Amino acid sequence: MKQQFEFSKLKQETISSKVHPDRLFFAMLDLCDDRYLRSVMRYPDEFFWAIPDGIYCIAQQKLAVKGGRRTFAGEMVYATKENLADFVKEALEDDELSDLLIALRFDTAPPFVGYISGGGYCHLYVNVDLPR
């Protein structure tokens, strides 16, 4: 895995959000708990097959801790499912993938979160607390 991971090869969507990236990141991270775990997949293709089309919020799973306070220290971007799938496939082939959190674009609480490890394993977490 590359030390300096970057999203430069990902075809990104320009999205403006009124919500600070820290809040979006921690909303995704908070859902990554065993009680919300629905599926573990060995290959990203399985993950991308299981999620709907749309614009996705993608964040490096990178934290900084200063004075006991955790802050988001990675980069956050938006991309379509198709562009994200291509990016993940290429990054895996080049051994340049970093741990990612992925959620369908949201403002308050994501309906689900995908975690893709640097090795390509995928975990799908579903927010069962949201009203249907």
Side-chain angles (χ1 to χ4, degrees), residues 17-26 72 76 78 107:
S17 177
K18 296 175 186 171
V19 183
H20 193 275
D22 269 11
R23 288 194 58 202
L24 295 173
F25 173 77
F26 283 107
F72 173 54
M76 183 174 291
Y78 293 90
D107 287 323

Side-chain angles (χ1 to χ4, degrees), residues 51-132:
I51 62 174
D53 290 338
I55 303 291
Y56 281 82
C57 176
I58 306 109
Q60 288 175 274
Q61 188 174 353
K62 196 172 184 183
L63 289 170
V65 180
K66 186 174 182 180
R69 184 170 179 264
R70 300 181 320 161
T71 57
F72 173 54
E75 188 178 352
M76 183 174 291
V77 297
Y78 293 90
T80 63
K81 175 180 139 176
E82 182 180 350
N83 290 335
L84 176 59
D86 291 344
F87 170 77
V88 168
K89 181 179 179 181
E90 185 177 329
L92 267 173
E93 289 170 357
D94 296 342
D95 195 30
E96 294 182 346
L97 188 62
S98 179
D99 292 357
L100 302 175
L101 295 179
I102 299 165
L104 199 55
R105 187 173 171 215
F106 69 97
D107 287 323
T108 54
F112 63 87
V113 171
Y115 162 74
I116 299 181
S117 74
Y121 283 90
C122 305
H123 296 200
L124 180 62
Y125 299 89
V126 176
N127 193 342
V128 296
D129 297 332
L130 283 180
R132 304 248 179 244

Side-chain angles (χ1 to χ4, degrees), residues 22-39:
D22 269 11
R23 288 194 58 202
L24 295 173
F25 173 77
F26 283 107
M28 290 192 291
L29 187 63
D30 288 347
L31 195 57
C32 294
D33 183 287
D34 285 346
R35 68 181 173 210
Y36 299 114
L37 182 62
R38 288 294 171 259
S39 185

